[in-house]
Amino acid sequence: MKRWLVKILTFFIFTGWVSAEIQPVQLCFLTGDDTSVYVTRTIDIPTGTDVAGQVKLILTVLGNGLTPSELLQEYYTAIPVGTKIQAINIETNKITVDFNTKIISAGMDDVKLSEIYRQVIDTLKVRFPFDSFNLTVNGKSLGSYIQQLNPLTP
């Protein structure tokens, strides 16, 4: 959804012109010992929001990062704050989420790629029964951004 549309919908929800339901969602964050933890947050989901809209709302909350109390528990996120969802495509049991370049702004390696996939997939699997997940940046597979090491040449 466009940012201006989200702002308008938020206004209508808070003024009562559009009905919404406050729903708990489970967000996956990470810990230093390489385990996933689930944190419950509540979000307003406008009545009639389709699956793609719900996914965008949930991943936007995930991309907003950790609260101070979560940071004190030493949770972390591999998703840089400010990461935006550009598009969501849903086919039968398959979802593609296209992010802006902020998600790769700190570089990409195998570990970071794995952590981003784990956070997004584990967050979505709690609520949606997708069999296949594809994460992209500007339409290009997130994995293709892994920094290649240049082999030493004699």
Side-chain angles (χ1 to χ4, degrees):
M1 244 188 275
K2 299 287 185 193
R3 177 174 281 155
W4 61 268
L5 183 57
V6 171
K7 288 180 181 179
I8 290 171
L9 280 174
T10 302
F11 170 78
F12 286 138
I13 289 166
F14 286 118
T15 59
W17 290 357
V18 172
S19 60
E21 185 178 338
I22 296 175
Q23 297 183 23
V25 294
Q26 299 289 312
L27 304 176
C28 176
F29 290 109
L30 307 168
T31 65
D33 63 356
D34 199 35
T35 59
S36 298
V37 293
Y38 291 90
V39 173
T40 301
R41 302 264 183 91
T42 55
I43 62 173
D44 289 324
I45 299 179
T47 303
T49 302
D50 64 1
V51 172
Q54 291 179 43
V55 167
K56 186 166 188 172
L57 287 170
I58 291 167
L59 291 182
T60 298
V61 173
L62 182 67
N64 288 339
L66 297 155
T67 64
S69 65
E70 293 160 357
L71 287 169
L72 286 175
Q73 294 180 58
E74 298 183 1
Y75 300 160
Y76 74 94
T77 179
I79 301 168
V81 173
T83 297
K84 304 285 184 220
I85 293 98
Q86 298 187 133
I88 295 171
N89 184 31
I90 298 174
E91 299 172 16
T92 306
N93 294 323
K94 178 183 178 183
I95 184 167
T96 299
V97 179
D98 190 57
F99 294 96
N100 66 354
T101 56
K102 181 71 175 177
I103 201 163
I104 57 171
S105 62
M108 182 64 60
D109 60 20
D110 289 335
V111 172
K112 183 151 182 163
L113 177 68
S114 174
E115 290 176 339
I116 290 171
Y117 263 89
R118 185 168 46 159
Q119 276 192 267
V120 171
I121 291 169
D122 288 355
T123 294
L124 294 179
K125 277 190 169 185
V126 170
R127 192 174 183 103
F128 306 104
F130 299 117
D131 294 328
S132 175
F133 296 84
N134 187 25
L135 306 182
T136 61
V137 175
N138 294 328
K140 188 176 172 184
S141 172
L142 187 59
S144 67
Y145 289 91
I146 292 178
Q147 296 168 344
Q148 302 297 319
L149 299 175
N150 293 327
L152 297 175
T153 54

